[in-house]
Amino acid sequence: MKNAFIRKQQCLTSALGIFLLVIMACKSDGNIPAENLEEEVDETGAQPGDSTGNRLRIRIGSAVFSATLLDNATVKAFKARLPLTVNMSELNGNEKLYNFPSNLPANASNPGTIRNGDLMLYGSNVLVLFYKSFSTQYSYTRLGRVDDATGLASAAGAGNVTVTFELD
């Protein structure tokens, strides 16, 4: 009886070991479909190795902020509209928005957390500049991010503001 128990235990241990080896081999063989891989994104929202140099200047009153733009179809369409001076409306005490008169290409996903300085597109025509961090359930197309958002909330203020976006 004791020997049968030990054999079962050895068999289960061997099966578990084989299972773990198979799992590890699957993860390291590079055969994971691309659609299952999450894109790595750094603090600016740029992918590693992205050296496109997409620099944006954002002017709110006398405050000027530098931002790094991503390299995607939405950003290309956005850049084609620059320089751009718009009146951005206040929303929810954490963001400023502007409705473009026509759509931009969109590829929205839920970021989970919005960070102070994120520049995104909501839907296909709403430009959003976030000046506070918070969790979200909404989906956005990421355009870029303010490099140093210190002072962005105070520059954005409580009401509507005029904002100029131009390539740096």
Side-chain angles (χ1 to χ4, degrees):
M1 178 94 159
K2 187 175 182 182
N3 285 341
F5 177 75
I6 291 173
R7 272 189 295 232
K8 282 184 182 179
Q9 213 174 16
Q10 288 173 337
C11 188
L12 287 173
T13 302
S14 295
L16 180 60
I18 291 169
F19 175 74
L20 290 174
L21 285 173
V22 169
I23 295 296
M24 289 172 54
C26 287
K27 285 191 174 187
S28 63
D29 72 0
N31 289 330
I32 301 170
E35 61 270 14
N36 293 341
L37 296 175
E38 287 190 30
E39 269 183 348
E40 284 187 50
V41 177
D42 70 12
E43 298 260 330
T44 65
Q47 296 175 10
D50 181 14
S51 58
T52 57
N54 287 329
R55 306 293 303 147
L56 181 70
R57 190 172 327 128
I58 302 171
R59 186 179 317 275
I60 306 172
S62 62
V64 178
F65 301 91
S66 293
T68 302
L69 295 172
L70 297 175
D71 187 16
N72 60 41
T74 310
V75 169
K76 287 179 180 134
F78 174 66
K79 286 172 31 176
R81 299 174 187 222
L82 299 179
L84 180 69
T85 300
V86 295
N87 185 29
M88 297 190 83
S89 304
E90 171 62 37
L91 185 65
N92 299 324
N94 56 22
E95 63 193 85
K96 300 296 183 189
L97 63 90
Y98 169 73
N99 290 295
F100 284 110
S102 59
N103 294 343
L104 282 77
N107 186 15
S109 63
N110 181 310
T113 300
I114 299 290
R115 294 184 300 161
N116 178 14
D118 281 345
L119 182 64
M120 299 191 187
L121 185 71
Y122 178 73
S124 58
N125 71 329
V126 181
L127 179 65
V128 185
L129 177 61
F130 293 96
Y131 60 88
K132 289 187 182 174
S133 300
F134 62 96
S135 295
T136 186
Q137 61 188 18
Y138 295 103
S139 293
Y140 301 90
T141 302
R142 189 178 296 279
L143 299 176
R145 178 164 171 68
V146 172
D147 300 327
D148 180 2
T150 304
L152 182 59
S154 62
N160 299 348
V161 293
T162 300
V163 181
T164 299
F165 298 93
E166 56 193 349
L167 292 176
D168 201 9

